[in-house]
């Protein structure tokens, strides 16, 4: 390697200067419009006082906060909060434990919330079979889009590798549950016979 | 009203739900005219976000018409057409007072590590989202803005998150004139981040992905060099080779939790949920940026720990900058860029689905069918 071949990383300056402003402006619409950091809305990071439109020092408190779960890193239930899907049943008890006992810094907090999610999902699936609108893995996974030739999927799948495990993840629990029921039924039948 | 409802990982359906009601004096109820599915909605759809409850309605990118307002609302009227930032924020807490709207402390009782987000699980506050006919919008005097007459609806809905996040991501990179900027991910956020990097004076912009239609879009709309990582043996090494062994000055992670490119990380992070998502893009950023360089992270990750190469970041003296986007703060300047044609967010839209077909929409987007880059959702009531 001659001295002329030594890469920039080993020298004071980059060997290849960037294209000129004129060249970049000719090629790229708006090049350099925000070159000055003063034109960048999030520079500097902290901008006090921000003109937010708020006309209160502390917001009115939304009614109904009693019993609402909250992170123990909060001093109280925030003055405004979502009211969608309140805690219920076993999944609710697991989630309430996660919030009441563990800070966000503890892995147990998040593991319990994930466990609550899975209990919620399985409980909801089972309950749905007692309704007029049971869960339907065909319509609810949207998998029909795979078959709508001439429709949305006409150009096919562009991300084959990424999706290899998805059918296993989606169908796996259903197959496992079915296999478990068959095995259980056989065991019961065997016990009754014997 | 009709609303998308979550039924468990990879499953959702449209159900009848009660129309939301005013629950706080500064609430508004917005009738949704146009919504979008965000790449980060796929994290919920795939079961990656803790405390995503059955029955939850997703959707943090939406525009619509004000249908009802609470008694303390001063800045909006019924009938106004509004665009709503994905952040729920109060405008008055310590963080909002300093412009950190995405870190608001008054709207998310479930966590302090993240602010409020519409339709993004109870970890971000438990607010149902906008993939529905109606949505509750707290702090109506602070978040929503009337859509300018001249603005295209599809630009407006993209500005509520994806476009604003791309623009914010380029700012986090602290780009100086002539910098080489590498954008990881050519989804909507990455495409806008690449365009925005030019606005901030980049001398070279490289976009890395492995989906050809997205790379084509990066080449044509963002004027970027594009690399298909499936055709590159070692992405980090290629970044070094192509930058005279320095590394990029700035790397923007516009991928987040579902990154592919490393089987072990993808399976443990995305499929088995043993990490808060797959850290492939973040680790490529750490190893591919030059010493003393800057990494901007706008891809979303979950709250569970990740296998991040932090030792390399420390030893290289990197600056890591990241946040959820304080969307409304971006808008005045972004409106100028959209109006004068420097940014055209709607260029990334590829698909439009009626709300009733939203299960198919999620599958098409998740499985990357039909070259899908950005799907929009149109509620029937609109």
């Amino acid at each position: 390697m001659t001295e002329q071949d030594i890469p920039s990383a080993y020298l004071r300056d980059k060997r290849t200067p960037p294209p000129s402003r004129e060249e970049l402006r000719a090629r790229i619409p708006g090049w350099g419009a925000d070159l000055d950091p003063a034109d960048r809305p999030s520079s500097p990071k902290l901008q006090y006082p921000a003109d937010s439109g708020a006309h209160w020092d502390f917001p009115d408190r939304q009614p109904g906060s009693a019993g609402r779960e909250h992170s123990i890193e909060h001093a109280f239930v925030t003055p405004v909060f979502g009211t969608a899907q309140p805690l219920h049943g076993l999944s609710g008890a697991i989630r309430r434990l996660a919030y009441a006992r563990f800070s966000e810094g503890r892995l147990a907090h998040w593991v319990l919330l994930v466990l609550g999610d899975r209990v919620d999902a399985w409980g909801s699936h089972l309950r749905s079979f007692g309704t007029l609108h049971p869960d339907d893995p065909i319509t609810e996974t949207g998998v029909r889009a795979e078959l709508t030739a001439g429709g949305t999927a006409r150009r096919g799948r562009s991300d084959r590798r990424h999706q290899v495990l998805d059918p296993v993840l989606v169908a796996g629990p259903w197959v496992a549950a079915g296999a478990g029921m068959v095995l259980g039924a056989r065991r019961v039948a065997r016990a009754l016979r014997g | 009203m009709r609303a998308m409802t979550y039924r468990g990982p990879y499953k959702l359906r449209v159900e009848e739900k009660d129309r939301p009601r005013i629950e706080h004096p500064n609430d508004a109820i917005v009738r949704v005219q146009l919504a979008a599915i965000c790449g980060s909605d796929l994290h919920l759809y795939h079961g990656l976000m803790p405390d995503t409850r059955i029955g939850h309605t997703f959707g943090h990118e939406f525009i619509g018409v004000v249908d009802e307002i609470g008694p303390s609302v001063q800045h909006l009227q019924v009938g106004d057409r509004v665009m709503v930032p994905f952040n729920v924020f109060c405008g008055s807490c310590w963080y909002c007072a300093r412009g950190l709207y995405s870190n608001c402390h008054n709207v998310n009782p479930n966590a302090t590590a993240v602010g409020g987000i519409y339709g993004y699980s109870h970890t971000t506050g438990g607010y149902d989202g906008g993939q529905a006919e109606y949505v509750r919008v707290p702090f109506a005097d602070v978040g929503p803005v009337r859509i300018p007459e001249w603005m295209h609806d599809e630009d407006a809905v993209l500005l509520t998150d994806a476009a604003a996040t791309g623009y914010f991501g380029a700012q986090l990179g602290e780009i100086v004139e002539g910098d080489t900027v590498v954008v990881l991910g050519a989804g909507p956020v990455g495409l806008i981040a690449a365009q925005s990097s030019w606005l901030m004076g980049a001398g070279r912009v490289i976009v890395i992905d492995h989906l050809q239609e997205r790379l084509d879009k990066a080449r044509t709309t963002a004027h970027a060099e594009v690399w298909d990582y499936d055709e590159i043996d070692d992405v980090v090494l290629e970044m070094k080779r192509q930058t005279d062994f320095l590394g990029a000055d700035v790397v923007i992670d516009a991928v987040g939790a579902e990154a592919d490119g490393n089987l072990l990380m993808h399976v443990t992070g995305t499929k088995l949920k043993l990490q808060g998502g797959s850290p492939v893009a973040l680790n490529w950023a750490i190893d591919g940026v030059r010493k003393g360089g800057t990494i901007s992270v706008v891809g979303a990750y979950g709250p569970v720990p990740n296998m991040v190469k932090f030792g390399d970041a420390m030893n290289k003296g990197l600056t890591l900058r990241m946040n959820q986007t304080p969307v409304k703060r971006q808008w005045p300047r972004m409106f100028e860029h959209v109006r004068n044609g420097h940014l055209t967010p709607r260029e990334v839209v590829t698909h439009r689905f009626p709300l009733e077909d939203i299960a198919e929409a999620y599958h098409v987007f998740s499985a990357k069918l039909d070259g899908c880059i950005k799907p929009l959702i149109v509620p029937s009531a609109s």
Side-chain angles (χ1 to χ4, degrees), chain B residues 262-276:
Chain B
N262 177 303
L263 185 64
L264 175 67
M265 291 297 150
H266 184 69
V267 169
T268 57
T270 304
K271 303 304 184 190
L272 301 179
K273 283 86 173 171
L274 298 176
Q275 306 185 56

Side-chain angles (χ1 to χ4, degrees), chain B residues 140-304:
Chain B
D141 280 335
V142 173
V145 163
R146 291 185 193 87
I147 301 172
E149 289 289 328
W150 53 266
M151 186 177 285
H152 194 288
D153 279 2
E154 293 187 358
D155 283 332
V157 76
L158 268 289
L159 283 162
T160 62
D161 179 6
T165 296
Y167 184 60
F168 178 63
Q171 291 171 69
L172 291 179
E174 297 181 313
I175 295 164
V176 300
E177 185 171 357
D179 271 354
T180 294
V181 179
V182 169
V183 180
L184 300 176
V189 171
L191 292 167
I192 302 287
Q195 294 174 343
S196 302
S197 297
W198 292 122
L199 300 183
M200 291 167 209
R204 184 182 182 192
V205 177
I206 300 164
V207 175
I208 303 178
D209 204 302
H210 73 144
L211 300 176
Q212 201 53 52
E213 64 274 5
R214 293 180 179 220
L215 292 172
D216 291 343
K217 189 76 88 171
R219 187 186 300 110
T220 56
T221 67
H223 312 281
E225 291 174 51
V226 297
W227 296 358
D228 179 348
Y229 69 74
D230 279 345
E231 296 177 358
I232 298 172
D233 180 49
D234 185 326
V235 171
V236 169
L237 183 59
E238 188 66 14
M239 286 165 71
K240 298 289 172 62
R241 283 180 174 152
Q242 293 279 337
T243 54
D244 227 11
F245 290 87
L246 272 167
D249 298 296
V250 176
V251 179
I252 300 172
D253 171 4
V255 181
E258 308 220 25
D260 207 340
N262 177 303
L263 185 64
L264 175 67
M265 291 297 150
H266 184 69
V267 169
T268 57
T270 304
K271 303 304 184 190
L272 301 179
K273 283 86 173 171
L274 298 176
Q275 306 185 56
S278 164
V280 178
L282 193 49
N283 285 334
W284 280 355
I286 288 170
D287 285 331
V289 75
R290 67 163 164 77
K291 286 179 270 195
T294 301
I295 294 175
S296 156
V297 184
V298 285
Y301 291 87
V304 178

Side-chain angles (χ1 to χ4, degrees), chain B residues 10-67:
Chain B
Y10 295 84
K11 292 180 281 294
L12 53 88
R13 66 189 184 194
V14 178
E15 289 181 357
E16 279 294 326
K17 291 178 88 166
D18 291 338
R19 177 186 174 280
R21 57 186 178 80
I22 300 290
E23 300 189 56
H24 180 274
N26 210 247
D27 277 358
I29 305 300
V30 168
R31 178 167 57 82
V32 178
Q33 291 188 308
L34 191 60
I37 305 176
C38 179
S40 61
D41 285 328
L42 296 180
H43 308 338
L44 300 175
Y45 177 63
H46 295 155
L48 273 168
M49 192 68 166
D51 209 356
T52 303
R53 300 182 188 174
I54 301 302
H56 197 51
T57 296
F58 301 167
H60 54 267
E61 298 179 325
F62 58 89
I63 62 172
V65 178
V66 177
D67 198 62

Side-chain angles (χ1 to χ4, degrees), chain A residues 6-10 14-16 18-19 21 24 27-35 39-63 68-71 73-74 76-87 95 99 104 107 109-110 113-114 117-118 120-121 124-125 128 133-137 139-146 151-159 161-163 165-166 169-170 174, chain B residues 7-13 17 23-26 45 47 49-57 72 74-75 90-92 96-101 105-113 122-123 125-128 136 138-139 141-142 167-168 171 174-175 177-178 180 198-203 210-211 213 223 229-230 244-246 249 258 260-261 266-267 271 273 303-305 321 326 328-330 333 337 342 351 353 359-360 363-364 366-371:
Chain A
I6 294 174
S8 300
Y10 305 90
K14 289 183 180 178
R15 280 195 180 280
T16 311
R21 287 184 171 192
L24 287 164
R27 188 161 66 86
I28 312 290
W31 181 88
D34 290 341
L35 195 54
D39 288 326
R40 303 177 187 181
S42 282
S43 178
K45 181 177 181 177
L46 302 183
Q47 294 176 8
Y48 180 87
D51 179 18
S52 70
H55 43 84
W56 48 80
D57 290 327
F58 183 78
D60 292 330
R61 284 185 179 273
Q62 179 179 328
R68 171 66 158 82
E69 79 281 2
H70 68 89
S71 166
E73 293 180 44
H74 265 306
F76 41 66
V77 174
T78 53
V80 167
F81 52 89
T83 54
Q85 301 88 44
L87 296 176
R95 287 162 167 152
Y99 285 110
E104 297 160 56
L107 187 59
H109 175 86
W110 302 108
L113 289 177
V114 171
D117 289 353
R118 299 302 171 259
D120 190 9
S124 295
H125 289 324
S128 80
H133 195 183
D135 279 320
D136 177 348
T139 58
E140 291 179 6
T141 56
V143 72
R144 287 184 302 189
E146 298 272 357
T152 55
R154 64 188 178 281
R155 276 194 284 158
R157 181 185 298 273
S158 59
D159 192 11
R161 192 182 62 188
H162 189 92
Q163 301 298 325
L165 284 175
D166 284 358
L169 289 172
V170 175
W174 295 84
Chain B
R7 294 297 303 166
Y10 295 84
K11 292 180 281 294
L12 53 88
R13 66 189 184 194
K17 291 178 88 166
E23 300 189 56
H24 180 274
N26 210 247
Y45 177 63
M49 192 68 166
D51 209 356
T52 303
R53 300 182 188 174
I54 301 302
H56 197 51
T57 296
S72 79
Q74 299 175 5
H75 303 156
C90 74
S92 60
C96 287
R98 287 155 180 81
L100 299 179
Y101 302 143
H105 216 57
N106 270 333
V107 292
N108 178 9
N110 296 72
T112 57
H122 277 65
T123 293
Y127 299 92
D128 269 340
R136 173 194 170 205
F139 296 116
D141 280 335
V142 173
Y167 184 60
F168 178 63
Q171 291 171 69
E174 297 181 313
I175 295 164
E177 185 171 357
T180 294
W198 292 122
L199 300 183
M200 291 167 209
H210 73 144
L211 300 176
E213 64 274 5
H223 312 281
Y229 69 74
D230 279 345
D244 227 11
F245 290 87
L246 272 167
D249 298 296
E258 308 220 25
D260 207 340
H266 184 69
V267 169
K271 303 304 184 190
K273 283 86 173 171
V304 178
R321 302 199 65 207
K328 194 173 178 183
R329 195 164 149 181
Q330 316 306 316
R333 184 65 173 165
H337 288 316
H342 295 160
H351 290 69
F353 292 90
E360 280 77 16
H363 184 76
V364 166
S366 170
K368 308 292 181 288
L369 296 180
D370 196 33

Side-chain angles (χ1 to χ4, degrees), chain B residues 121-136:
Chain B
S121 84
H122 277 65
T123 293
T124 67
Y127 299 92
D128 269 340
Q131 289 165 8
E133 291 180 322
Y134 294 89
V135 60
R136 173 194 170 205

